[in-house]
Amino acid sequence: MRVLITGGSGLIGRALSTDLARDGNEIIILSRQPERLIGLPENVRAEKWDGRTAEGWHSLADGADAIVNLAGEDISSKRWSDERKRAIRQSRLNSSQAVVQAVKAATNKPAVVIQASGIGYYGPGGDEEITEETPHGHDFLAQLAVDWEASTASLESLGVRRVVIRTGVVLSAHGQALPRMLLPFRFFVGGRLGSGRQWFPWIHIADEVGAIRFLIENKATSGPFNLTAPVAINNDGFSRLLGQQLRRPALIPTPAFALRLVFGEMATIILDGQRAVPKRLLQLGFTFRFPEAGPALKDLLSLRAITT
């Protein structure tokens, strides 16, 4: 297969491109600074784009087997000022606009476009299970996801299969999320965040990559899919598992007001969860390597020990 990946230098993009290339597929990463992407695996190359248009690279979409659109600024790197919110939103809409332009210009349309989104699509949730049929929420993250998903919807009228991946928190030995969670425990001050009752929609990086590949290769798939582990856990339970794996106590909670003071509106990522389940993936027979948080954390922490 020939697969184009926008946002291919990020956590998911790197893991996906490496996994696909290992099987002999041709992977093209679109990057604004391709010269910085050194040490790419065999069968992976980087091409320049401006993140806004199809200028200079649209011919690569012609005859491609898949485009995976992951590009967008990190939502958790800075506090959410109005300016920051605009930048987060525009980065996603601009990249999607470029993908749409490239696909429309292609004589031989790509077989499938995988459109990234987030589990925040559903807004803050309670204890009810959230499936792909659950209506969207109305906060910033929900509206961001709604707009992001809609930005490539026009491709369906061109006969292009389109799959939307609503991804939870991706846990990886090399990502940012897990190290941030581990730090308090290493100093013996770990514990639940806020009440701890909020659900934590997570997924192991191996299952994130496996699910995307499954959706690329399964020609019967289209529409939205929740990419979260099937066995739900709340923040308190996850924190206890972290403590057990590190042999540290999980006794010191961080109050909600302190998190809101530090992170502002962005604290919703930590304090408001969703009990999201991957209903459609399970119905299609996708098998998760790490359906439960305990074995997932054991695997990831063993990888960190090897690589650090």
Side-chain angles (χ1 to χ4, degrees), residues 195-246:
S195 70
R197 294 191 298 272
Q198 69 273 28
W199 293 94
F200 181 58
W202 65 278
I203 186 169
H204 190 293
I205 184 63
D207 286 324
E208 176 77 7
V209 169
I212 294 173
R213 289 200 60 168
F214 177 83
L215 294 167
I216 289 173
E217 295 163 7
N218 189 330
K219 296 179 181 179
T221 62
S222 63
F225 286 82
N226 290 344
L227 268 58
T228 57
V231 180
I233 191 169
N234 64 19
N235 176 267
D236 182 59
F238 190 85
S239 298
R240 291 178 185 276
L241 285 175
L242 270 180
Q244 290 172 13
Q245 291 294 332
L246 292 174

mmCIF file of all heavy atoms in Angstrom, residues 195-246:
data_model
loop_
_atom_site.group_PDB
_atom_site.id
_atom_site.type_symbol
_atom_site.label_atom_id
_atom_site.label_comp_id
_atom_site.label_asym_id
_atom_site.label_seq_id
_atom_site.Cartn_x
_atom_site.Cartn_y
_atom_site.Cartn_z
ATOM 1 N N SER A 195 -12.213 14.269 42.005
ATOM 2 C CA SER A 195 -12.966 13.253 42.737
ATOM 3 C C SER A 195 -12.471 11.847 42.449
ATOM 4 O O SER A 195 -12.663 10.924 43.250
ATOM 5 C CB SER A 195 -14.452 13.347 42.363
ATOM 6 O OG SER A 195 -14.656 12.904 41.027
ATOM 7 N N GLY A 196 -11.835 11.659 41.276
ATOM 8 C CA GLY A 196 -11.400 10.335 40.874
ATOM 9 C C GLY A 196 -12.502 9.501 40.267
ATOM 10 O O GLY A 196 -12.252 8.412 39.742
ATOM 11 N N ARG A 197 -13.739 9.982 40.335
ATOM 12 C CA ARG A 197 -14.866 9.202 39.799
ATOM 13 C C ARG A 197 -15.019 9.363 38.289
ATOM 14 O O ARG A 197 -15.752 8.594 37.659
ATOM 15 C CB ARG A 197 -16.173 9.620 40.495
ATOM 16 C CG ARG A 197 -16.228 9.278 41.985
ATOM 17 C CD ARG A 197 -17.636 9.468 42.543
ATOM 18 N NE ARG A 197 -18.084 10.846 42.441
ATOM 19 C CZ ARG A 197 -17.860 11.773 43.366
ATOM 20 N NH1 ARG A 197 -17.187 11.466 44.471
ATOM 21 N NH2 ARG A 197 -18.309 13.001 43.219
ATOM 22 N N GLN A 198 -14.357 10.366 37.721
ATOM 23 C CA GLN A 198 -14.487 10.591 36.279
ATOM 24 C C GLN A 198 -13.843 9.438 35.514
ATOM 25 O O GLN A 198 -12.786 8.945 35.875
ATOM 26 C CB GLN A 198 -13.857 11.933 35.876
ATOM 27 C CG GLN A 198 -12.343 12.030 35.963
ATOM 28 C CD GLN A 198 -11.848 12.439 37.342
ATOM 29 O OE1 GLN A 198 -12.478 12.187 38.357
ATOM 30 N NE2 GLN A 198 -10.682 13.094 37.378
ATOM 31 N N TRP A 199 -14.508 9.024 34.443
ATOM 32 C CA TRP A 199 -14.011 7.915 33.642
ATOM 33 C C TRP A 199 -12.818 8.352 32.808
ATOM 34 O O TRP A 199 -12.736 9.517 32.381
ATOM 35 C CB TRP A 199 -15.120 7.356 32.759
ATOM 36 C CG TRP A 199 -16.183 6.704 33.575
ATOM 37 C CD1 TRP A 199 -17.341 7.261 34.040
ATOM 38 C CD2 TRP A 199 -16.152 5.369 34.094
ATOM 39 N NE1 TRP A 199 -18.043 6.364 34.805
ATOM 40 C CE2 TRP A 199 -17.342 5.191 34.856
ATOM 41 C CE3 TRP A 199 -15.258 4.304 33.979
ATOM 42 C CZ2 TRP A 199 -17.639 3.995 35.500
ATOM 43 C CZ3 TRP A 199 -15.561 3.109 34.620
ATOM 44 C CH2 TRP A 199 -16.739 2.973 35.369
ATOM 45 N N PHE A 200 -11.908 7.423 32.586
ATOM 46 C CA PHE A 200 -10.662 7.717 31.883
ATOM 47 C C PHE A 200 -10.612 6.905 30.592
ATOM 48 O O PHE A 200 -10.280 5.715 30.608
ATOM 49 C CB PHE A 200 -9.477 7.367 32.787
ATOM 50 C CG PHE A 200 -8.134 7.649 32.160
ATOM 51 C CD1 PHE A 200 -7.810 8.921 31.722
ATOM 52 C CD2 PHE A 200 -7.193 6.635 32.021
ATOM 53 C CE1 PHE A 200 -6.579 9.187 31.147
ATOM 54 C CE2 PHE A 200 -5.961 6.891 31.444
ATOM 55 C CZ PHE A 200 -5.654 8.164 31.011
ATOM 56 N N PRO A 201 -10.959 7.520 29.452
ATOM 57 C CA PRO A 201 -10.967 6.797 28.176
ATOM 58 C C PRO A 201 -9.563 6.718 27.568
ATOM 59 O O PRO A 201 -9.083 7.664 26.966
ATOM 60 C CB PRO A 201 -11.907 7.647 27.310
ATOM 61 C CG PRO A 201 -11.733 9.042 27.839
ATOM 62 C CD PRO A 201 -11.422 8.918 29.304
ATOM 63 N N TRP A 202 -8.926 5.595 27.717
ATOM 64 C CA TRP A 202 -7.539 5.422 27.308
ATOM 65 C C TRP A 202 -7.428 4.338 26.238
ATOM 66 O O TRP A 202 -8.353 3.559 26.013
ATOM 67 C CB TRP A 202 -6.674 5.014 28.509
ATOM 68 C CG TRP A 202 -7.066 3.656 29.031
ATOM 69 C CD1 TRP A 202 -8.100 3.373 29.872
ATOM 70 C CD2 TRP A 202 -6.477 2.390 28.687
ATOM 71 N NE1 TRP A 202 -8.189 2.015 30.088
ATOM 72 C CE2 TRP A 202 -7.207 1.390 29.382
ATOM 73 C CE3 TRP A 202 -5.415 2.013 27.874
ATOM 74 C CZ2 TRP A 202 -6.893 0.029 29.266
ATOM 75 C CZ3 TRP A 202 -5.095 0.656 27.759
ATOM 76 C CH2 TRP A 202 -5.838 -0.307 28.461
ATOM 77 N N ILE A 203 -6.262 4.270 25.589
ATOM 78 C CA ILE A 203 -5.971 3.194 24.648
ATOM 79 C C ILE A 203 -4.459 3.030 24.559
ATOM 80 O O ILE A 203 -3.709 4.013 24.577
ATOM 81 C CB ILE A 203 -6.578 3.460 23.255
ATOM 82 C CG1 ILE A 203 -6.396 2.250 22.322
ATOM 83 C CG2 ILE A 203 -6.000 4.720 22.623
ATOM 84 C CD1 ILE A 203 -7.201 2.334 21.036
ATOM 85 N N HIS A 204 -4.005 1.806 24.509
ATOM 86 C CA HIS A 204 -2.586 1.502 24.334
ATOM 87 C C HIS A 204 -2.197 1.844 22.899
ATOM 88 O O HIS A 204 -2.959 1.621 21.961
ATOM 89 C CB HIS A 204 -2.360 0.012 24.611
ATOM 90 C CG HIS A 204 -0.925 -0.419 24.705
ATOM 91 N ND1 HIS A 204 -0.065 -0.399 23.632
ATOM 92 C CD2 HIS A 204 -0.205 -0.904 25.752
ATOM 93 C CE1 HIS A 204 1.120 -0.852 24.014
ATOM 94 N NE2 HIS A 204 1.064 -1.171 25.296
ATOM 95 N N ILE A 205 -0.992 2.371 22.708
ATOM 96 C CA ILE A 205 -0.552 2.775 21.378
ATOM 97 C C ILE A 205 -0.589 1.605 20.391
ATOM 98 O O ILE A 205 -0.906 1.797 19.201
ATOM 99 C CB ILE A 205 0.873 3.389 21.434
ATOM 100 C CG1 ILE A 205 1.314 3.912 20.063
ATOM 101 C CG2 ILE A 205 1.875 2.411 22.012
ATOM 102 C CD1 ILE A 205 0.480 5.035 19.515
ATOM 103 N N ALA A 206 -0.326 0.405 20.857
ATOM 104 C CA ALA A 206 -0.366 -0.759 19.955
ATOM 105 C C ALA A 206 -1.774 -0.989 19.428
ATOM 106 O O ALA A 206 -1.958 -1.364 18.261
ATOM 107 C CB ALA A 206 0.134 -2.005 20.682
ATOM 108 N N ASP A 207 -2.776 -0.765 20.274
ATOM 109 C CA ASP A 207 -4.158 -0.933 19.830
ATOM 110 C C ASP A 207 -4.621 0.237 18.977
ATOM 111 O O ASP A 207 -5.442 0.064 18.066
ATOM 112 C CB ASP A 207 -5.077 -1.118 21.044
ATOM 113 C CG ASP A 207 -4.924 -2.495 21.671
ATOM 114 O OD1 ASP A 207 -4.723 -3.467 20.918
ATOM 115 O OD2 ASP A 207 -5.000 -2.602 22.907
ATOM 116 N N GLU A 208 -4.117 1.433 19.248
ATOM 117 C CA GLU A 208 -4.423 2.581 18.391
ATOM 118 C C GLU A 208 -3.943 2.314 16.964
ATOM 119 O O GLU A 208 -4.694 2.476 15.993
ATOM 120 C CB GLU A 208 -3.748 3.839 18.938
ATOM 121 C CG GLU A 208 -3.910 5.083 18.081
ATOM 122 C CD GLU A 208 -5.267 5.756 18.186
ATOM 123 O OE1 GLU A 208 -6.063 5.324 19.046
ATOM 124 O OE2 GLU A 208 -5.526 6.701 17.421
ATOM 125 N N VAL A 209 -2.712 1.866 16.842
ATOM 126 C CA VAL A 209 -2.147 1.556 15.522
ATOM 127 C C VAL A 209 -2.877 0.377 14.894
ATOM 128 O O VAL A 209 -3.230 0.402 13.704
ATOM 129 C CB VAL A 209 -0.640 1.258 15.649
ATOM 130 C CG1 VAL A 209 -0.091 0.668 14.350
ATOM 131 C CG2 VAL A 209 0.117 2.525 16.005
ATOM 132 N N GLY A 210 -3.129 -0.659 15.685
ATOM 133 C CA GLY A 210 -3.819 -1.829 15.160
ATOM 134 C C GLY A 210 -5.210 -1.505 14.662
ATOM 135 O O GLY A 210 -5.655 -2.010 13.619
ATOM 136 N N ALA A 211 -5.908 -0.643 15.397
ATOM 137 C CA ALA A 211 -7.266 -0.264 14.993
ATOM 138 C C ALA A 211 -7.254 0.549 13.706
ATOM 139 O O ALA A 211 -8.102 0.348 12.823
ATOM 140 C CB ALA A 211 -7.946 0.516 16.116
ATOM 141 N N ILE A 212 -6.310 1.473 13.576
ATOM 142 C CA ILE A 212 -6.232 2.276 12.350
ATOM 143 C C ILE A 212 -5.931 1.375 11.156
ATOM 144 O O ILE A 212 -6.554 1.509 10.091
ATOM 145 C CB ILE A 212 -5.177 3.389 12.488
ATOM 146 C CG1 ILE A 212 -5.607 4.408 13.554
ATOM 147 C CG2 ILE A 212 -4.963 4.100 11.148
ATOM 148 C CD1 ILE A 212 -4.560 5.459 13.874
ATOM 149 N N ARG A 213 -5.015 0.459 11.313
ATOM 150 C CA ARG A 213 -4.713 -0.471 10.225
ATOM 151 C C ARG A 213 -5.935 -1.326 9.881
ATOM 152 O O ARG A 213 -6.216 -1.570 8.703
ATOM 153 C CB ARG A 213 -3.534 -1.364 10.608
ATOM 154 C CG ARG A 213 -2.211 -0.642 10.648
ATOM 155 C CD ARG A 213 -1.047 -1.609 10.542
ATOM 156 N NE ARG A 213 -1.071 -2.392 9.303
ATOM 157 C CZ ARG A 213 -0.053 -3.122 8.880
ATOM 158 N NH1 ARG A 213 1.077 -3.169 9.580
ATOM 159 N NH2 ARG A 213 -0.137 -3.809 7.755
ATOM 160 N N PHE A 214 -6.630 -1.778 10.885
ATOM 161 C CA PHE A 214 -7.845 -2.571 10.679
ATOM 162 C C PHE A 214 -8.862 -1.782 9.863
ATOM 163 O O PHE A 214 -9.492 -2.306 8.937
ATOM 164 C CB PHE A 214 -8.418 -2.945 12.045
ATOM 165 C CG PHE A 214 -9.717 -3.701 12.000
ATOM 166 C CD1 PHE A 214 -9.744 -5.074 11.797
ATOM 167 C CD2 PHE A 214 -10.929 -3.043 12.182
ATOM 168 C CE1 PHE A 214 -10.941 -5.780 11.773
ATOM 169 C CE2 PHE A 214 -12.133 -3.731 12.161
ATOM 170 C CZ PHE A 214 -12.139 -5.101 11.952
ATOM 171 N N LEU A 215 -9.009 -0.501 10.164
ATOM 172 C CA LEU A 215 -9.983 0.337 9.479
ATOM 173 C C LEU A 215 -9.530 0.697 8.068
ATOM 174 O O LEU A 215 -10.361 0.862 7.168
ATOM 175 C CB LEU A 215 -10.245 1.600 10.303
ATOM 176 C CG LEU A 215 -10.932 1.344 11.653
ATOM 177 C CD1 LEU A 215 -10.873 2.579 12.538
ATOM 178 C CD2 LEU A 215 -12.370 0.895 11.455
ATOM 179 N N ILE A 216 -8.230 0.813 7.848
ATOM 180 C CA ILE A 216 -7.724 1.034 6.497
ATOM 181 C C ILE A 216 -7.991 -0.191 5.631
ATOM 182 O O ILE A 216 -8.455 -0.087 4.492
ATOM 183 C CB ILE A 216 -6.209 1.333 6.521
ATOM 184 C CG1 ILE A 216 -5.934 2.718 7.109
ATOM 185 C CG2 ILE A 216 -5.623 1.257 5.101
ATOM 186 C CD1 ILE A 216 -4.456 3.020 7.309
ATOM 187 N N GLU A 217 -7.716 -1.355 6.176
ATOM 188 C CA GLU A 217 -7.733 -2.589 5.396
ATOM 189 C C GLU A 217 -9.109 -3.209 5.263
ATOM 190 O O GLU A 217 -9.350 -3.973 4.320
ATOM 191 C CB GLU A 217 -6.749 -3.577 6.033
ATOM 192 C CG GLU A 217 -5.297 -3.097 5.960
ATOM 193 C CD GLU A 217 -4.369 -3.817 6.916
ATOM 194 O OE1 GLU A 217 -4.824 -4.797 7.562
ATOM 195 O OE2 GLU A 217 -3.194 -3.407 7.036
ATOM 196 N N ASN A 218 -10.017 -2.883 6.180
ATOM 197 C CA ASN A 218 -11.374 -3.443 6.137
ATOM 198 C C ASN A 218 -12.258 -2.524 5.299
ATOM 199 O O ASN A 218 -12.720 -1.481 5.766
ATOM 200 C CB ASN A 218 -11.931 -3.590 7.547
ATOM 201 C CG ASN A 218 -13.242 -4.354 7.585
ATOM 202 O OD1 ASN A 218 -14.016 -4.319 6.633
ATOM 203 N ND2 ASN A 218 -13.496 -5.035 8.693
ATOM 204 N N LYS A 219 -12.514 -2.909 4.069
ATOM 205 C CA LYS A 219 -13.210 -2.040 3.121
ATOM 206 C C LYS A 219 -14.688 -1.841 3.453
ATOM 207 O O LYS A 219 -15.342 -0.981 2.847
ATOM 208 C CB LYS A 219 -13.062 -2.602 1.708
ATOM 209 C CG LYS A 219 -11.617 -2.622 1.233
ATOM 210 C CD LYS A 219 -11.493 -3.199 -0.170
ATOM 211 C CE LYS A 219 -10.038 -3.227 -0.621
ATOM 212 N NZ LYS A 219 -9.883 -3.801 -1.984
ATOM 213 N N ALA A 220 -15.204 -2.601 4.411
ATOM 214 C CA ALA A 220 -16.610 -2.457 4.790
ATOM 215 C C ALA A 220 -16.813 -1.382 5.849
ATOM 216 O O ALA A 220 -17.950 -1.068 6.203
ATOM 217 C CB ALA A 220 -17.153 -3.796 5.300
ATOM 218 N N THR A 221 -15.737 -0.794 6.344
ATOM 219 C CA THR A 221 -15.849 0.184 7.430
ATOM 220 C C THR A 221 -15.989 1.599 6.895
ATOM 221 O O THR A 221 -15.375 1.974 5.909
ATOM 222 C CB THR A 221 -14.630 0.115 8.364
ATOM 223 O OG1 THR A 221 -13.444 0.431 7.625
ATOM 224 C CG2 THR A 221 -14.487 -1.272 8.977
ATOM 225 N N SER A 222 -16.790 2.384 7.582
ATOM 226 C CA SER A 222 -16.913 3.820 7.303
ATOM 227 C C SER A 222 -17.600 4.464 8.500
ATOM 228 O O SER A 222 -18.175 3.772 9.346
ATOM 229 C CB SER A 222 -17.730 4.075 6.027
ATOM 230 O OG SER A 222 -19.056 3.605 6.175
ATOM 231 N N GLY A 223 -17.525 5.789 8.571
ATOM 232 C CA GLY A 223 -18.170 6.498 9.664
ATOM 233 C C GLY A 223 -17.332 6.513 10.929
ATOM 234 O O GLY A 223 -16.140 6.203 10.909
ATOM 235 N N PRO A 224 -17.937 6.878 12.071
ATOM 236 C CA PRO A 224 -17.173 7.073 13.309
ATOM 237 C C PRO A 224 -16.895 5.784 14.067
ATOM 238 O O PRO A 224 -17.722 4.865 14.101
ATOM 239 C CB PRO A 224 -18.087 7.988 14.130
ATOM 240 C CG PRO A 224 -19.468 7.620 13.685
ATOM 241 C CD PRO A 224 -19.352 7.285 12.216
ATOM 242 N N PHE A 225 -15.722 5.746 14.687
ATOM 243 C CA PHE A 225 -15.315 4.636 15.544
ATOM 244 C C PHE A 225 -14.649 5.198 16.795
ATOM 245 O O PHE A 225 -13.769 6.058 16.691
ATOM 246 C CB PHE A 225 -14.330 3.710 14.828
ATOM 247 C CG PHE A 225 -14.950 2.843 13.776
ATOM 248 C CD1 PHE A 225 -15.180 3.341 12.503
ATOM 249 C CD2 PHE A 225 -15.311 1.535 14.057
ATOM 250 C CE1 PHE A 225 -15.750 2.551 11.513
ATOM 251 C CE2 PHE A 225 -15.893 0.733 13.081
ATOM 252 C CZ PHE A 225 -16.120 1.239 11.809
ATOM 253 N N ASN A 226 -15.059 4.715 17.968
ATOM 254 C CA ASN A 226 -14.375 5.066 19.206
ATOM 255 C C ASN A 226 -13.116 4.226 19.325
ATOM 256 O O ASN A 226 -13.180 2.992 19.284
ATOM 257 C CB ASN A 226 -15.269 4.803 20.420
ATOM 258 C CG ASN A 226 -16.423 5.766 20.521
ATOM 259 O OD1 ASN A 226 -16.430 6.820 19.870
ATOM 260 N ND2 ASN A 226 -17.411 5.435 21.336
ATOM 261 N N LEU A 227 -11.976 4.881 19.483
ATOM 262 C CA LEU A 227 -10.721 4.175 19.704
ATOM 263 C C LEU A 227 -10.341 4.342 21.168
ATOM 264 O O LEU A 227 -9.592 5.241 21.564
ATOM 265 C CB LEU A 227 -9.620 4.693 18.769
ATOM 266 C CG LEU A 227 -9.471 3.946 17.438
ATOM 267 C CD1 LEU A 227 -10.771 3.972 16.650
ATOM 268 C CD2 LEU A 227 -8.332 4.502 16.609
ATOM 269 N N THR A 228 -10.923 3.465 21.972
ATOM 270 C CA THR A 228 -10.669 3.405 23.409
ATOM 271 C C THR A 228 -10.625 1.944 23.814
ATOM 272 O O THR A 228 -11.172 1.075 23.128
ATOM 273 C CB THR A 228 -11.785 4.108 24.213
ATOM 274 O OG1 THR A 228 -13.046 3.498 23.881
ATOM 275 C CG2 THR A 228 -11.850 5.593 23.905
ATOM 276 N N ALA A 229 -9.980 1.660 24.935
ATOM 277 C CA ALA A 229 -9.937 0.291 25.439
ATOM 278 C C ALA A 229 -11.348 -0.151 25.833
ATOM 279 O O ALA A 229 -12.144 0.654 26.329
ATOM 280 C CB ALA A 229 -9.002 0.197 26.631
ATOM 281 N N PRO A 230 -11.688 -1.425 25.649
ATOM 282 C CA PRO A 230 -13.053 -1.884 25.920
ATOM 283 C C PRO A 230 -13.412 -2.014 27.393
ATOM 284 O O PRO A 230 -14.588 -2.016 27.733
ATOM 285 C CB PRO A 230 -13.110 -3.246 25.226
ATOM 286 C CG PRO A 230 -11.697 -3.698 25.156
ATOM 287 C CD PRO A 230 -10.864 -2.464 25.003
ATOM 288 N N VAL A 231 -12.408 -2.140 28.270
ATOM 289 C CA VAL A 231 -12.683 -2.274 29.701
ATOM 290 C C VAL A 231 -12.482 -0.909 30.351
ATOM 291 O O VAL A 231 -11.350 -0.441 30.518
ATOM 292 C CB VAL A 231 -11.788 -3.330 30.361
ATOM 293 C CG1 VAL A 231 -12.114 -3.443 31.853
ATOM 294 C CG2 VAL A 231 -11.968 -4.687 29.681
ATOM 295 N N ALA A 232 -13.591 -0.280 30.714
ATOM 296 C CA ALA A 232 -13.542 1.090 31.236
ATOM 297 C C ALA A 232 -12.973 1.117 32.658
ATOM 298 O O ALA A 232 -13.114 0.160 33.430
ATOM 299 C CB ALA A 232 -14.941 1.698 31.220
ATOM 300 N N ILE A 233 -12.350 2.236 32.991
ATOM 301 C CA ILE A 233 -11.803 2.434 34.333
ATOM 302 C C ILE A 233 -11.901 3.914 34.662
ATOM 303 O O ILE A 233 -11.805 4.768 33.771
ATOM 304 C CB ILE A 233 -10.337 1.940 34.405
ATOM 305 C CG1 ILE A 233 -9.850 1.898 35.847
ATOM 306 C CG2 ILE A 233 -9.420 2.803 33.539
ATOM 307 C CD1 ILE A 233 -8.517 1.160 36.003
ATOM 308 N N ASN A 234 -12.122 4.228 35.941
ATOM 309 C CA ASN A 234 -12.171 5.640 36.301
ATOM 310 C C ASN A 234 -10.795 6.114 36.748
ATOM 311 O O ASN A 234 -9.843 5.341 36.858
ATOM 312 C CB ASN A 234 -13.252 5.925 37.352
ATOM 313 C CG ASN A 234 -13.001 5.231 38.687
ATOM 314 O OD1 ASN A 234 -11.887 4.810 38.995
ATOM 315 N ND2 ASN A 234 -14.051 5.123 39.485
ATOM 316 N N ASN A 235 -10.683 7.406 37.008
ATOM 317 C CA ASN A 235 -9.382 7.989 37.328
ATOM 318 C C ASN A 235 -8.800 7.413 38.618
ATOM 319 O O ASN A 235 -7.594 7.163 38.709
ATOM 320 C CB ASN A 235 -9.517 9.509 37.439
ATOM 321 C CG ASN A 235 -8.235 10.181 37.853
ATOM 322 O OD1 ASN A 235 -8.000 10.408 39.024
ATOM 323 N ND2 ASN A 235 -7.384 10.492 36.879
ATOM 324 N N ASP A 236 -9.655 7.184 39.604
ATOM 325 C CA ASP A 236 -9.173 6.626 40.867
ATOM 326 C C ASP A 236 -8.602 5.224 40.646
ATOM 327 O O ASP A 236 -7.514 4.898 41.137
ATOM 328 C CB ASP A 236 -10.304 6.591 41.893
ATOM 329 C CG ASP A 236 -9.843 6.067 43.248
ATOM 330 O OD1 ASP A 236 -8.934 6.673 43.834
ATOM 331 O OD2 ASP A 236 -10.384 5.040 43.697
ATOM 332 N N GLY A 237 -9.326 4.392 39.910
ATOM 333 C CA GLY A 237 -8.852 3.040 39.642
ATOM 334 C C GLY A 237 -7.557 3.035 38.858
ATOM 335 O O GLY A 237 -6.642 2.248 39.138
ATOM 336 N N PHE A 238 -7.461 3.923 37.867
ATOM 337 C CA PHE A 238 -6.248 4.001 37.066
ATOM 338 C C PHE A 238 -5.073 4.465 37.924
ATOM 339 O O PHE A 238 -3.963 3.941 37.799
ATOM 340 C CB PHE A 238 -6.467 4.951 35.890
ATOM 341 C CG PHE A 238 -5.365 4.914 34.872
ATOM 342 C CD1 PHE A 238 -5.370 3.959 33.868
ATOM 343 C CD2 PHE A 238 -4.320 5.826 34.912
ATOM 344 C CE1 PHE A 238 -4.353 3.906 32.922
ATOM 345 C CE2 PHE A 238 -3.299 5.780 33.978
ATOM 346 C CZ PHE A 238 -3.321 4.811 32.978
ATOM 347 N N SER A 239 -5.317 5.438 38.798
ATOM 348 C CA SER A 239 -4.254 5.943 39.667
ATOM 349 C C SER A 239 -3.748 4.848 40.597
ATOM 350 O O SER A 239 -2.535 4.731 40.847
ATOM 351 C CB SER A 239 -4.766 7.130 40.486
ATOM 352 O OG SER A 239 -5.139 8.202 39.654
ATOM 353 N N ARG A 240 -4.649 4.036 41.097
ATOM 354 C CA ARG A 240 -4.242 2.932 41.970
ATOM 355 C C ARG A 240 -3.388 1.913 41.211
ATOM 356 O O ARG A 240 -2.403 1.385 41.751
ATOM 357 C CB ARG A 240 -5.469 2.261 42.576
ATOM 358 C CG ARG A 240 -6.203 3.136 43.580
ATOM 359 C CD ARG A 240 -7.452 2.440 44.127
ATOM 360 N NE ARG A 240 -8.211 3.334 44.987
ATOM 361 C CZ ARG A 240 -7.946 3.529 46.278
ATOM 362 N NH1 ARG A 240 -6.927 2.886 46.842
ATOM 363 N NH2 ARG A 240 -8.674 4.352 46.988
ATOM 364 N N LEU A 241 -3.761 1.647 39.971
ATOM 365 C CA LEU A 241 -2.964 0.722 39.164
ATOM 366 C C LEU A 241 -1.566 1.282 38.899
ATOM 367 O O LEU A 241 -0.571 0.536 38.935
ATOM 368 C CB LEU A 241 -3.664 0.440 37.833
ATOM 369 C CG LEU A 241 -4.869 -0.490 37.878
ATOM 370 C CD1 LEU A 241 -5.520 -0.577 36.502
ATOM 371 C CD2 LEU A 241 -4.459 -1.884 38.352
ATOM 372 N N LEU A 242 -1.488 2.578 38.646
ATOM 373 C CA LEU A 242 -0.179 3.208 38.459
ATOM 374 C C LEU A 242 0.674 3.031 39.701
ATOM 375 O O LEU A 242 1.858 2.684 39.622
ATOM 376 C CB LEU A 242 -0.341 4.700 38.160
ATOM 377 C CG LEU A 242 -0.477 5.154 36.709
ATOM 378 C CD1 LEU A 242 -0.623 6.659 36.650
ATOM 379 C CD2 LEU A 242 0.716 4.710 35.881
ATOM 380 N N GLY A 243 0.079 3.289 40.861
ATOM 381 C CA GLY A 243 0.813 3.126 42.109
ATOM 382 C C GLY A 243 1.286 1.698 42.315
ATOM 383 O O GLY A 243 2.425 1.458 42.742
ATOM 384 N N GLN A 244 0.426 0.732 42.003
ATOM 385 C CA GLN A 244 0.808 -0.672 42.154
ATOM 386 C C GLN A 244 1.978 -1.034 41.252
ATOM 387 O O GLN A 244 2.917 -1.728 41.665
ATOM 388 C CB GLN A 244 -0.398 -1.557 41.834
ATOM 389 C CG GLN A 244 -1.509 -1.506 42.868
ATOM 390 C CD GLN A 244 -2.756 -2.241 42.401
ATOM 391 O OE1 GLN A 244 -2.720 -2.990 41.421
ATOM 392 N NE2 GLN A 244 -3.864 -2.027 43.099
ATOM 393 N N GLN A 245 1.919 -0.577 39.993
ATOM 394 C CA GLN A 245 2.986 -0.909 39.058
ATOM 395 C C GLN A 245 4.324 -0.294 39.481
ATOM 396 O O GLN A 245 5.383 -0.895 39.289
ATOM 397 C CB GLN A 245 2.619 -0.440 37.651
ATOM 398 C CG GLN A 245 1.487 -1.212 37.002
ATOM 399 C CD GLN A 245 1.853 -2.656 36.720
ATOM 400 O OE1 GLN A 245 3.008 -2.995 36.510
ATOM 401 N NE2 GLN A 245 0.852 -3.530 36.735
ATOM 402 N N LEU A 246 4.264 0.898 40.074
ATOM 403 C CA LEU A 246 5.489 1.582 40.500
ATOM 404 C C LEU A 246 5.856 1.272 41.945
ATOM 405 O O LEU A 246 6.884 1.737 42.436
ATOM 406 C CB LEU A 246 5.314 3.097 40.345
ATOM 407 C CG LEU A 246 5.201 3.620 38.918
ATOM 408 C CD1 LEU A 246 4.886 5.107 38.919
ATOM 409 C CD2 LEU A 246 6.471 3.357 38.135
#
